[in-house]
Amino acid sequence: MSESKLAGQFFDAAIGLLERVRDEEGSRINEAGAEIARAVASGNRLFAFGAGHSSLPAQDVVYRAGGLALMNFLAVPGTAGVDVMPATLGSALERVDGLAGAVLDSSPATAGDVLVVISLSGRNALPVEMAMNARAIGLKVIGVTSLAYAAGTRSRHVSGTFLKDHCDIVLDSKIAVGDAELTVDGIDAPFAPASTVVTSAIMQAVMAAAAGELAARGVQPPLLRSGNVDGGHEWNGRVMREYGDRIFFRH
């Protein structure tokens, strides 16, 4: 099979997943957007967490052009990128009990805030405990995960539960167990993961729904503009001054 056909097949697979999410998760995406809008309008704060490659969709909604200025990345040292050496340490840390509680205890998150927890498998201790502990202190938790993993794998948390079991709203990315869309004779392992594409799209769809809900409430969404267009820096400076008490990525 030619390389071009494989590339096209990946696009087809990703588009198919995006269409499924749009059609099957639309009401829950709008619900998540409304919850974020509530937090913004009520003076609460917004946080997003993900470990490993699940950190990428979380980072994609923090401090970016066209995004809500109030979204903060809740970082767990050693788990948010492949710059950690060795890179396998991040995977190991996802299975450490108690780490999520320590991070939340030292974070500015309080009751009424919203935390989006992103975990493709939803089976490791870190995302499960992050959601559990966040709800225990009064946060609203939105989980973005693949429900296929909960049906097809075992939890690695002592409770035997998954991320989906500890969320106020669950958004299903529809990604199959293994996160690889293509298989071909002559290539021994499946390949072409689509979880980042789909999960990032879910996150941006939630942000779009939140902006629309804020506008419907008569609240101007605190959006950032590109710093590469005229007036962008001035616009962003004004937004950050106005909402500085809820923006933590500048400190």
Side-chain angles (χ1 to χ4, degrees):
M1 179 174 289
S2 71
E3 296 87 342
S4 61
K5 287 185 178 179
L6 288 175
Q9 285 186 5
F10 174 75
F11 279 114
D12 290 342
I15 290 167
L17 286 163
L18 289 169
E19 289 178 337
R20 281 192 64 198
V21 169
R22 179 197 62 197
D23 296 342
E24 298 173 19
E25 299 298 305
S27 63
R28 283 177 288 275
I29 286 172
N30 287 331
E31 184 183 356
E35 185 59 43
I36 287 174
R38 175 209 59 79
V40 173
S42 301
N44 295 111
R45 285 79 63 83
L46 307 174
F47 300 90
F49 164 77
H53 284 90
S54 290
S55 73
L56 298 177
Q59 294 180 58
D60 191 44
V61 295
V62 176
Y63 185 51
R64 68 156 303 136
L68 288 174
L70 274 61
M71 184 60 74
N72 300 280
F73 184 62
L74 186 62
V76 177
T79 69
V82 293
D83 57 331
V84 178
M85 296 297 291
T88 51
L89 177 61
S91 298
L93 289 173
E94 286 189 66
R95 304 175 191 180
V96 174
D97 295 332
L99 184 55
V103 169
L104 276 172
D105 287 346
S106 60
S107 80
T110 59
D113 294 346
V114 172
L115 172 62
V116 182
V117 179
I118 303 170
S119 173
L120 178 62
S121 72
R123 68 190 296 227
N124 289 313
L126 186 54
V128 171
E129 291 184 356
M130 190 68 76
M132 291 176 67
N133 290 344
R135 290 181 91 189
I137 62 175
L139 274 72
K140 294 293 185 178
V141 177
I142 299 167
V144 186
T145 188
S146 168
L147 296 184
Y149 277 84
T153 68
R154 283 181 163 183
S155 169
R156 289 187 174 126
H157 188 251
V158 64
S159 67
T161 61
F162 288 77
L163 169 61
K164 71 175 183 65
D165 300 312
H166 305 285
C167 300
D168 297 286
I169 302 169
V170 176
L171 306 178
D172 181 11
S173 64
K174 315 296 181 182
I175 301 295
V177 175
D179 190 19
E181 294 301 316
L182 302 182
T183 56
V184 173
D185 289 341
I187 299 178
D188 292 342
F191 56 101
S195 61
T196 303
V197 173
V198 175
T199 307
S200 290
I202 290 172
M203 292 298 292
Q204 294 300 345
V206 170
M207 297 301 111
E213 176 65 22
L214 283 166
R217 290 170 173 245
V219 177
Q220 189 61 225
L223 296 167
L224 296 173
R225 290 182 181 268
S226 172
N228 296 312
V229 300
D230 292 342
H233 285 300
E234 292 77 11
W235 172 282
N236 293 341
R238 178 185 59 77
V239 171
M240 289 188 179
R241 285 192 300 273
E242 184 175 348
Y243 291 93
D245 60 331
R246 291 190 268 171
I247 297 172
F248 303 104
F249 50 76
R250 300 186 70 200
H251 305 298

